[in-house]
mmCIF file of all heavy atoms in Angstrom:
data_model
loop_
_atom_site.group_PDB
_atom_site.id
_atom_site.type_symbol
_atom_site.label_atom_id
_atom_site.label_comp_id
_atom_site.label_asym_id
_atom_site.label_seq_id
_atom_site.Cartn_x
_atom_site.Cartn_y
_atom_site.Cartn_z
ATOM 1 N N ILE A 601 250.606 236.409 45.936
ATOM 2 C CA ILE A 601 249.291 237.055 45.890
ATOM 3 C C ILE A 601 249.008 237.774 47.202
ATOM 4 O O ILE A 601 248.541 238.914 47.226
ATOM 5 C CB ILE A 601 248.201 236.020 45.576
ATOM 6 C CG1 ILE A 601 248.405 235.454 44.160
ATOM 7 C CG2 ILE A 601 246.809 236.634 45.710
ATOM 8 C CD1 ILE A 601 247.474 234.323 43.811
ATOM 9 N N THR A 602 249.287 237.092 48.334
ATOM 10 C CA THR A 602 249.007 237.701 49.636
ATOM 11 C C THR A 602 249.956 238.856 49.946
ATOM 12 O O THR A 602 249.706 239.619 50.872
ATOM 13 C CB THR A 602 249.103 236.654 50.747
ATOM 14 O OG1 THR A 602 250.380 235.986 50.680
ATOM 15 C CG2 THR A 602 247.998 235.624 50.624
ATOM 16 N N SER A 603 251.049 238.991 49.184
ATOM 17 C CA SER A 603 251.937 240.135 49.385
ATOM 18 C C SER A 603 251.397 241.404 48.747
ATOM 19 O O SER A 603 251.986 242.475 48.900
ATOM 20 C CB SER A 603 253.328 239.830 48.820
ATOM 21 O OG SER A 603 253.270 239.668 47.408
ATOM 22 N N ASN A 604 250.290 241.290 48.038
ATOM 23 C CA ASN A 604 249.642 242.461 47.452
ATOM 24 C C ASN A 604 249.308 243.468 48.538
ATOM 25 O O ASN A 604 248.712 243.128 49.566
ATOM 26 C CB ASN A 604 248.379 242.010 46.708
ATOM 27 C CG ASN A 604 247.622 243.167 46.090
ATOM 28 O OD1 ASN A 604 246.885 243.870 46.774
ATOM 29 N ND2 ASN A 604 247.781 243.344 44.799
ATOM 30 N N SER A 605 249.689 244.719 48.325
ATOM 31 C CA SER A 605 249.506 245.756 49.351
ATOM 32 C C SER A 605 248.037 245.980 49.676
ATOM 33 O O SER A 605 247.685 246.233 50.832
ATOM 34 C CB SER A 605 250.146 247.063 48.886
ATOM 35 O OG SER A 605 251.528 246.907 48.686
ATOM 36 N N GLY A 606 247.180 245.890 48.683
ATOM 37 C CA GLY A 606 245.758 246.081 48.933
ATOM 38 C C GLY A 606 245.188 245.004 49.829
ATOM 39 O O GLY A 606 244.363 245.288 50.721
ATOM 40 N N ILE A 607 245.605 243.749 49.611
ATOM 41 C CA ILE A 607 245.128 242.648 50.454
ATOM 42 C C ILE A 607 245.651 242.813 51.873
ATOM 43 O O ILE A 607 244.903 242.662 52.854
ATOM 44 C CB ILE A 607 245.580 241.299 49.865
ATOM 45 C CG1 ILE A 607 244.929 241.071 48.496
ATOM 46 C CG2 ILE A 607 245.229 240.154 50.806
ATOM 47 C CD1 ILE A 607 245.384 239.816 47.804
ATOM 48 N N ARG A 608 246.926 243.131 52.011
ATOM 49 C CA ARG A 608 247.501 243.315 53.351
ATOM 50 C C ARG A 608 246.829 244.473 54.080
ATOM 51 O O ARG A 608 246.586 244.412 55.291
ATOM 52 C CB ARG A 608 248.995 243.548 53.224
ATOM 53 C CG ARG A 608 249.767 242.334 52.707
ATOM 54 C CD ARG A 608 251.190 242.704 52.346
ATOM 55 N NE ARG A 608 251.912 243.237 53.504
ATOM 56 C CZ ARG A 608 253.055 243.904 53.416
ATOM 57 N NH1 ARG A 608 253.581 244.152 52.211
ATOM 58 N NH2 ARG A 608 253.650 244.344 54.491
ATOM 59 N N ALA A 609 246.513 245.546 53.347
ATOM 60 C CA ALA A 609 245.826 246.679 53.966
ATOM 61 C C ALA A 609 244.443 246.272 54.451
ATOM 62 O O ALA A 609 243.995 246.696 55.531
ATOM 63 C CB ALA A 609 245.721 247.834 52.971
ATOM 64 N N ALA A 610 243.759 245.425 53.675
ATOM 65 C CA ALA A 610 242.419 244.982 54.076
ATOM 66 C C ALA A 610 242.479 244.137 55.343
ATOM 67 O O ALA A 610 241.637 244.284 56.243
ATOM 68 C CB ALA A 610 241.780 244.194 52.937
ATOM 69 N N TYR A 611 243.479 243.263 55.454
ATOM 70 C CA TYR A 611 243.588 242.427 56.648
ATOM 71 C C TYR A 611 244.030 243.248 57.864
ATOM 72 O O TYR A 611 243.598 242.972 58.991
ATOM 73 C CB TYR A 611 244.561 241.279 56.397
ATOM 74 C CG TYR A 611 243.919 240.105 55.681
ATOM 75 C CD1 TYR A 611 244.229 239.794 54.367
ATOM 76 C CD2 TYR A 611 242.978 239.312 56.330
ATOM 77 C CE1 TYR A 611 243.630 238.739 53.712
ATOM 78 C CE2 TYR A 611 242.377 238.251 55.682
ATOM 79 C CZ TYR A 611 242.699 237.969 54.365
ATOM 80 O OH TYR A 611 242.086 236.916 53.725
ATOM 81 N N GLU A 612 244.878 244.249 57.651
ATOM 82 C CA GLU A 612 245.241 245.120 58.772
ATOM 83 C C GLU A 612 244.041 245.934 59.233
ATOM 84 O O GLU A 612 243.884 246.186 60.436
ATOM 85 C CB GLU A 612 246.382 246.052 58.361
ATOM 86 C CG GLU A 612 247.746 245.386 58.292
ATOM 87 C CD GLU A 612 248.219 244.895 59.656
ATOM 88 O OE1 GLU A 612 247.908 245.530 60.686
ATOM 89 O OE2 GLU A 612 248.918 243.858 59.701
ATOM 90 N N ASN A 613 243.215 246.355 58.297
ATOM 91 C CA ASN A 613 241.998 247.073 58.675
ATOM 92 C C ASN A 613 241.064 246.169 59.471
ATOM 93 O O ASN A 613 240.449 246.601 60.461
ATOM 94 C CB ASN A 613 241.296 247.577 57.414
ATOM 95 C CG ASN A 613 240.004 248.305 57.726
ATOM 96 O OD1 ASN A 613 239.971 249.319 58.406
ATOM 97 N ND2 ASN A 613 238.896 247.771 57.223
ATOM 98 N N ALA A 614 240.960 244.890 59.057
ATOM 99 C CA ALA A 614 240.133 243.941 59.815
ATOM 100 C C ALA A 614 240.697 243.718 61.209
ATOM 101 O O ALA A 614 239.949 243.614 62.192
ATOM 102 C CB ALA A 614 240.056 242.613 59.052
ATOM 103 N N LYS A 615 242.019 243.662 61.305
ATOM 104 C CA LYS A 615 242.658 243.524 62.618
ATOM 105 C C LYS A 615 242.354 244.725 63.503
ATOM 106 O O LYS A 615 242.062 244.584 64.708
ATOM 107 C CB LYS A 615 244.166 243.369 62.432
ATOM 108 C CG LYS A 615 244.957 243.249 63.730
ATOM 109 C CD LYS A 615 246.445 243.138 63.434
ATOM 110 C CE LYS A 615 247.270 243.091 64.726
ATOM 111 N NZ LYS A 615 248.720 243.007 64.425
ATOM 112 N N SER A 616 242.404 245.914 62.917
ATOM 113 C CA SER A 616 242.095 247.124 63.676
ATOM 114 C C SER A 616 240.657 247.102 64.172
ATOM 115 O O SER A 616 240.380 247.443 65.333
ATOM 116 C CB SER A 616 242.334 248.357 62.788
ATOM 117 O OG SER A 616 241.931 249.538 63.453
ATOM 118 N N LYS A 617 239.730 246.689 63.317
ATOM 119 C CA LYS A 617 238.324 246.628 63.719
ATOM 120 C C LYS A 617 238.120 245.599 64.833
ATOM 121 O O LYS A 617 237.327 245.822 65.766
ATOM 122 C CB LYS A 617 237.462 246.250 62.519
ATOM 123 C CG LYS A 617 237.479 247.249 61.380
ATOM 124 C CD LYS A 617 236.749 248.512 61.714
ATOM 125 C CE LYS A 617 236.652 249.433 60.505
ATOM 126 N NZ LYS A 617 235.984 250.716 60.829
ATOM 127 N N THR A 618 238.842 244.479 64.758
ATOM 128 C CA THR A 618 238.709 243.439 65.780
ATOM 129 C C THR A 618 239.212 243.944 67.135
ATOM 130 O O THR A 618 238.555 243.749 68.170
ATOM 131 C CB THR A 618 239.494 242.194 65.361
ATOM 132 O OG1 THR A 618 238.990 241.707 64.110
ATOM 133 C CG2 THR A 618 239.363 241.087 66.402
ATOM 134 N N LEU A 619 240.368 244.578 67.150
ATOM 135 C CA LEU A 619 240.907 245.112 68.399
ATOM 136 C C LEU A 619 240.008 246.205 68.966
ATOM 137 O O LEU A 619 239.843 246.320 70.193
ATOM 138 C CB LEU A 619 242.314 245.659 68.166
ATOM 139 C CG LEU A 619 243.380 244.611 67.855
ATOM 140 C CD1 LEU A 619 244.668 245.270 67.374
ATOM 141 C CD2 LEU A 619 243.661 243.753 69.082
ATOM 142 N N LEU A 620 239.410 246.987 68.086
ATOM 143 C CA LEU A 620 238.473 248.014 68.547
ATOM 144 C C LEU A 620 237.260 247.382 69.214
ATOM 145 O O LEU A 620 236.773 247.871 70.247
ATOM 146 C CB LEU A 620 238.041 248.881 67.366
ATOM 147 C CG LEU A 620 237.106 250.053 67.687
ATOM 148 C CD1 LEU A 620 237.811 251.060 68.582
ATOM 149 C CD2 LEU A 620 236.634 250.720 66.402
ATOM 150 N N SER A 621 236.783 246.272 68.649
ATOM 151 C CA SER A 621 235.641 245.589 69.264
ATOM 152 C C SER A 621 236.017 244.991 70.618
ATOM 153 O O SER A 621 235.195 244.973 71.550
ATOM 154 C CB SER A 621 235.122 244.490 68.322
ATOM 155 O OG SER A 621 236.058 243.427 68.216
ATOM 156 N N PHE A 622 237.281 244.502 70.753
ATOM 157 C CA PHE A 622 237.734 244.012 72.063
ATOM 158 C C PHE A 622 237.702 245.137 73.100
ATOM 159 O O PHE A 622 237.277 244.943 74.242
ATOM 160 C CB PHE A 622 239.161 243.468 71.945
ATOM 161 C CG PHE A 622 239.268 242.192 71.155
ATOM 162 C CD1 PHE A 622 240.490 241.733 70.687
ATOM 163 C CD2 PHE A 622 238.131 241.436 70.872
ATOM 164 C CE1 PHE A 622 240.592 240.562 69.963
ATOM 165 C CE2 PHE A 622 238.224 240.252 70.143
ATOM 166 C CZ PHE A 622 239.456 239.831 69.683
ATOM 167 N N GLY A 623 238.182 246.316 72.691
ATOM 168 C CA GLY A 623 238.185 247.442 73.611
ATOM 169 C C GLY A 623 236.784 247.865 74.012
ATOM 170 O O GLY A 623 236.524 248.165 75.193
ATOM 171 N N ASP A 624 235.858 247.896 73.042
ATOM 172 C CA ASP A 624 234.471 248.267 73.360
ATOM 173 C C ASP A 624 233.822 247.245 74.282
ATOM 174 O O ASP A 624 233.019 247.598 75.155
ATOM 175 C CB ASP A 624 233.664 248.403 72.073
ATOM 176 C CG ASP A 624 234.065 249.633 71.265
ATOM 177 O OD1 ASP A 624 234.709 250.527 71.845
ATOM 178 O OD2 ASP A 624 233.750 249.698 70.063
ATOM 179 N N GLU A 625 234.163 245.976 74.099
ATOM 180 C CA GLU A 625 233.596 244.941 74.971
ATOM 181 C C GLU A 625 234.080 245.112 76.410
ATOM 182 O O GLU A 625 233.322 244.886 77.369
ATOM 183 C CB GLU A 625 233.991 243.556 74.437
ATOM 184 C CG GLU A 625 233.523 242.393 75.288
ATOM 185 C CD GLU A 625 232.011 242.277 75.347
ATOM 186 O OE1 GLU A 625 231.348 242.713 74.374
ATOM 187 O OE2 GLU A 625 231.491 241.758 76.358
ATOM 188 N N LYS A 626 235.323 245.531 76.590
ATOM 189 C CA LYS A 626 235.886 245.687 77.932
ATOM 190 C C LYS A 626 235.417 246.974 78.621
ATOM 191 O O LYS A 626 235.785 247.228 79.761
ATOM 192 C CB LYS A 626 237.414 245.670 77.860
ATOM 193 C CG LYS A 626 237.983 244.320 77.439
ATOM 194 C CD LYS A 626 239.500 244.379 77.283
ATOM 195 C CE LYS A 626 240.051 243.048 76.796
ATOM 196 N NZ LYS A 626 241.511 243.092 76.585
ATOM 197 N N GLN A 627 234.656 247.784 77.917
ATOM 198 C CA GLN A 627 234.077 248.956 78.563
ATOM 199 C C GLN A 627 232.987 248.573 79.575
ATOM 200 O O GLN A 627 232.612 249.386 80.414
ATOM 201 C CB GLN A 627 233.474 249.892 77.492
ATOM 202 C CG GLN A 627 234.490 250.638 76.647
ATOM 203 C CD GLN A 627 235.087 251.831 77.365
ATOM 204 O OE1 GLN A 627 234.682 252.195 78.473
ATOM 205 N NE2 GLN A 627 236.088 252.442 76.753
ATOM 206 N N ASN A 628 232.520 247.346 79.487
ATOM 207 C CA ASN A 628 231.459 246.874 80.376
ATOM 208 C C ASN A 628 232.071 246.060 81.530
ATOM 209 O O ASN A 628 232.943 245.210 81.311
ATOM 210 C CB ASN A 628 230.462 245.999 79.609
ATOM 211 C CG ASN A 628 229.781 246.772 78.484
ATOM 212 O OD1 ASN A 628 228.947 247.639 78.740
ATOM 213 N ND2 ASN A 628 230.139 246.451 77.248
ATOM 214 N N TYR A 629 231.585 246.333 82.745
ATOM 215 C CA TYR A 629 231.920 245.541 83.943
ATOM 216 C C TYR A 629 233.400 245.584 84.305
ATOM 217 O O TYR A 629 233.910 244.688 84.967
ATOM 218 C CB TYR A 629 231.484 244.078 83.774
ATOM 219 C CG TYR A 629 230.078 243.924 83.289
ATOM 220 C CD1 TYR A 629 229.818 243.290 82.093
ATOM 221 C CD2 TYR A 629 229.006 244.429 84.027
ATOM 222 C CE1 TYR A 629 228.521 243.145 81.627
ATOM 223 C CE2 TYR A 629 227.702 244.296 83.574
ATOM 224 C CZ TYR A 629 227.464 243.659 82.375
ATOM 225 O OH TYR A 629 226.173 243.541 81.909
ATOM 226 N N ARG A 630 234.132 246.596 83.872
ATOM 227 C CA ARG A 630 235.540 246.729 84.247
ATOM 228 C C ARG A 630 235.788 248.169 84.707
ATOM 229 O O ARG A 630 235.325 249.114 84.060
ATOM 230 C CB ARG A 630 236.464 246.380 83.076
ATOM 231 C CG ARG A 630 236.517 244.878 82.788
ATOM 232 C CD ARG A 630 237.341 244.613 81.528
ATOM 233 N NE ARG A 630 237.520 243.192 81.303
ATOM 234 C CZ ARG A 630 236.635 242.402 80.711
ATOM 235 N NH1 ARG A 630 235.472 242.911 80.314
ATOM 236 N NH2 ARG A 630 236.882 241.117 80.527
ATOM 237 N N PRO A 631 236.517 248.336 85.803
ATOM 238 C CA PRO A 631 236.726 249.683 86.343
ATOM 239 C C PRO A 631 237.700 250.484 85.483
ATOM 240 O O PRO A 631 238.495 249.939 84.707
ATOM 241 C CB PRO A 631 237.303 249.422 87.732
ATOM 242 C CG PRO A 631 237.979 248.099 87.609
ATOM 243 C CD PRO A 631 237.145 247.293 86.636
ATOM 244 N N GLN A 632 237.633 251.793 85.654
ATOM 245 C CA GLN A 632 238.528 252.716 84.973
ATOM 246 C C GLN A 632 239.080 253.688 85.995
ATOM 247 O O GLN A 632 238.352 254.195 86.844
ATOM 248 C CB GLN A 632 237.774 253.464 83.870
ATOM 249 C CG GLN A 632 238.641 254.455 83.105
ATOM 250 C CD GLN A 632 237.920 255.045 81.908
ATOM 251 O OE1 GLN A 632 237.635 254.346 80.943
ATOM 252 N NE2 GLN A 632 237.602 256.325 81.985
ATOM 253 N N PHE A 633 240.386 253.961 85.911
ATOM 254 C CA PHE A 633 241.069 254.800 86.892
ATOM 255 C C PHE A 633 241.554 256.078 86.213
ATOM 256 O O PHE A 633 242.204 256.016 85.154
ATOM 257 C CB PHE A 633 242.269 254.058 87.503
ATOM 258 C CG PHE A 633 241.896 252.747 88.153
ATOM 259 C CD1 PHE A 633 241.833 251.577 87.411
ATOM 260 C CD2 PHE A 633 241.601 252.698 89.511
ATOM 261 C CE1 PHE A 633 241.499 250.372 88.009
ATOM 262 C CE2 PHE A 633 241.265 251.502 90.106
ATOM 263 C CZ PHE A 633 241.208 250.336 89.366
ATOM 264 N N GLY A 634 241.232 257.214 86.853
ATOM 265 C CA GLY A 634 241.647 258.494 86.318
ATOM 266 C C GLY A 634 242.330 259.336 87.374
ATOM 267 O O GLY A 634 242.133 259.153 88.583
ATOM 268 N N PHE A 635 243.139 260.266 86.926
ATOM 269 C CA PHE A 635 243.878 261.160 87.810
ATOM 270 C C PHE A 635 243.355 262.577 87.607
ATOM 271 O O PHE A 635 243.083 262.996 86.470
ATOM 272 C CB PHE A 635 245.379 261.103 87.505
ATOM 273 C CG PHE A 635 246.178 262.204 88.135
ATOM 274 C CD1 PHE A 635 246.526 262.149 89.485
ATOM 275 C CD2 PHE A 635 246.586 263.309 87.389
ATOM 276 C CE1 PHE A 635 247.261 263.168 90.062
ATOM 277 C CE2 PHE A 635 247.330 264.321 87.969
ATOM 278 C CZ PHE A 635 247.667 264.257 89.306
ATOM 279 N N GLY A 636 243.209 263.337 88.749
ATOM 280 C CA GLY A 636 242.737 264.705 88.660
ATOM 281 C C GLY A 636 243.466 265.616 89.619
ATOM 282 O O GLY A 636 243.852 265.210 90.721
ATOM 283 N N LEU A 637 243.659 266.852 89.210
ATOM 284 C CA LEU A 637 244.331 267.863 90.029
ATOM 285 C C LEU A 637 243.676 269.198 89.727
ATOM 286 O O LEU A 637 243.368 269.503 88.564
ATOM 287 C CB LEU A 637 245.822 267.900 89.702
ATOM 288 C CG LEU A 637 246.702 268.936 90.418
ATOM 289 C CD1 LEU A 637 248.103 268.371 90.619
ATOM 290 C CD2 LEU A 637 246.793 270.237 89.628
ATOM 291 N N GLU A 638 243.473 270.025 90.783
ATOM 292 C CA GLU A 638 242.848 271.329 90.564
ATOM 293 C C GLU A 638 243.364 272.324 91.598
ATOM 294 O O GLU A 638 243.505 272.002 92.785
ATOM 295 C CB GLU A 638 241.329 271.220 90.659
ATOM 296 C CG GLU A 638 240.611 272.512 90.327
ATOM 297 C CD GLU A 638 239.103 272.356 90.323
ATOM 298 O OE1 GLU A 638 238.634 271.220 90.586
ATOM 299 O OE2 GLU A 638 238.407 273.352 90.066
ATOM 300 N N TYR A 639 243.618 273.542 91.140
ATOM 301 C CA TYR A 639 244.022 274.641 92.027
ATOM 302 C C TYR A 639 243.165 275.859 91.684
ATOM 303 O O TYR A 639 242.956 276.174 90.506
ATOM 304 C CB TYR A 639 245.496 274.993 91.837
ATOM 305 C CG TYR A 639 245.878 276.300 92.503
ATOM 306 C CD1 TYR A 639 246.042 276.371 93.887
ATOM 307 C CD2 TYR A 639 246.038 277.458 91.736
ATOM 308 C CE1 TYR A 639 246.366 277.580 94.495
ATOM 309 C CE2 TYR A 639 246.375 278.660 92.336
ATOM 310 C CZ TYR A 639 246.534 278.720 93.717
ATOM 311 O OH TYR A 639 246.851 279.914 94.307
ATOM 312 N N ASN A 640 242.641 276.525 92.737
ATOM 313 C CA ASN A 640 241.821 277.713 92.564
ATOM 314 C C ASN A 640 242.338 278.826 93.476
ATOM 315 O O ASN A 640 242.641 278.594 94.654
ATOM 316 C CB ASN A 640 240.365 277.443 92.920
ATOM 317 C CG ASN A 640 239.652 276.646 91.843
ATOM 318 O OD1 ASN A 640 239.126 277.206 90.897
ATOM 319 N ND2 ASN A 640 239.644 275.319 92.002
ATOM 320 N N ARG A 641 242.398 280.012 92.958
ATOM 321 C CA ARG A 641 242.705 281.222 93.729
ATOM 322 C C ARG A 641 241.431 282.063 93.780
ATOM 323 O O ARG A 641 241.028 282.670 92.780
ATOM 324 C CB ARG A 641 243.829 282.001 93.057
ATOM 325 C CG ARG A 641 244.083 283.391 93.648
ATOM 326 C CD ARG A 641 244.624 283.343 95.057
ATOM 327 N NE ARG A 641 244.840 284.692 95.575
ATOM 328 C CZ ARG A 641 245.365 284.955 96.768
ATOM 329 N NH1 ARG A 641 245.734 283.943 97.564
ATOM 330 N NH2 ARG A 641 245.530 286.194 97.177
ATOM 331 N N TYR A 642 240.765 282.039 94.935
ATOM 332 C CA TYR A 642 239.513 282.770 95.075
ATOM 333 C C TYR A 642 239.777 284.254 95.302
ATOM 334 O O TYR A 642 240.766 284.644 95.937
ATOM 335 C CB TYR A 642 238.689 282.224 96.231
ATOM 336 C CG TYR A 642 238.140 280.827 95.979
ATOM 337 C CD1 TYR A 642 237.778 280.007 97.034
ATOM 338 C CD2 TYR A 642 237.998 280.344 94.682
ATOM 339 C CE1 TYR A 642 237.268 278.738 96.811
ATOM 340 C CE2 TYR A 642 237.503 279.086 94.440
ATOM 341 C CZ TYR A 642 237.146 278.272 95.508
ATOM 342 O OH TYR A 642 236.654 277.022 95.267
ATOM 343 N N ALA A 643 238.873 285.050 94.795
ATOM 344 C CA ALA A 643 239.027 286.500 94.912
ATOM 345 C C ALA A 643 238.805 286.954 96.354
ATOM 346 O O ALA A 643 237.970 286.414 97.075
ATOM 347 C CB ALA A 643 238.046 287.200 93.974
ATOM 348 N N GLU A 644 239.541 287.976 96.739
ATOM 349 C CA GLU A 644 239.412 288.507 98.087
ATOM 350 C C GLU A 644 238.216 289.441 98.231
ATOM 351 O O GLU A 644 237.751 289.701 99.335
ATOM 352 C CB GLU A 644 240.698 289.268 98.464
ATOM 353 C CG GLU A 644 241.932 288.386 98.487
ATOM 354 C CD GLU A 644 243.179 289.165 98.871
ATOM 355 O OE1 GLU A 644 243.052 290.391 99.078
ATOM 356 O OE2 GLU A 644 244.265 288.565 98.940
ATOM 357 N N PHE A 645 237.701 289.971 97.120
ATOM 358 C CA PHE A 645 236.594 290.918 97.208
ATOM 359 C C PHE A 645 235.238 290.238 97.231
ATOM 360 O O PHE A 645 234.208 290.899 97.306
ATOM 361 C CB PHE A 645 236.657 291.932 96.051
ATOM 362 C CG PHE A 645 236.779 291.277 94.695
ATOM 363 C CD1 PHE A 645 235.690 290.730 94.058
ATOM 364 C CD2 PHE A 645 238.021 291.221 94.077
ATOM 365 C CE1 PHE A 645 235.818 290.152 92.816
ATOM 366 C CE2 PHE A 645 238.152 290.637 92.836
ATOM 367 C CZ PHE A 645 237.047 290.093 92.193
ATOM 368 N N ASN A 646 235.175 288.917 97.120
ATOM 369 C CA ASN A 646 233.905 288.208 97.301
ATOM 370 C C ASN A 646 233.677 287.934 98.790
ATOM 371 O O ASN A 646 234.616 287.888 99.576
ATOM 372 C CB ASN A 646 233.910 286.902 96.501
ATOM 373 C CG ASN A 646 233.914 287.161 94.998
ATOM 374 O OD1 ASN A 646 234.955 287.043 94.370
ATOM 375 N ND2 ASN A 646 232.778 287.535 94.442
ATOM 376 N N ASN A 647 232.434 287.693 99.141
ATOM 377 C CA ASN A 647 232.072 287.558 100.555
ATOM 378 C C ASN A 647 232.080 286.110 101.021
ATOM 379 O O ASN A 647 231.169 285.674 101.725
ATOM 380 C CB ASN A 647 230.699 288.186 100.818
ATOM 381 C CG ASN A 647 229.661 287.656 99.820
ATOM 382 O OD1 ASN A 647 229.998 286.906 98.920
ATOM 383 N ND2 ASN A 647 228.406 288.049 100.007
#
């Protein structure tokens, strides 16, 4: 019975929702690190 594809899909969907809630919970009180790079060529005719 539990090998039914519909049942397995429902439990995998529940697992996905649970992991998503874990991720949303960790958005609070935990730092996040990002990387940034920028290059600009300014015009010579501006003052």
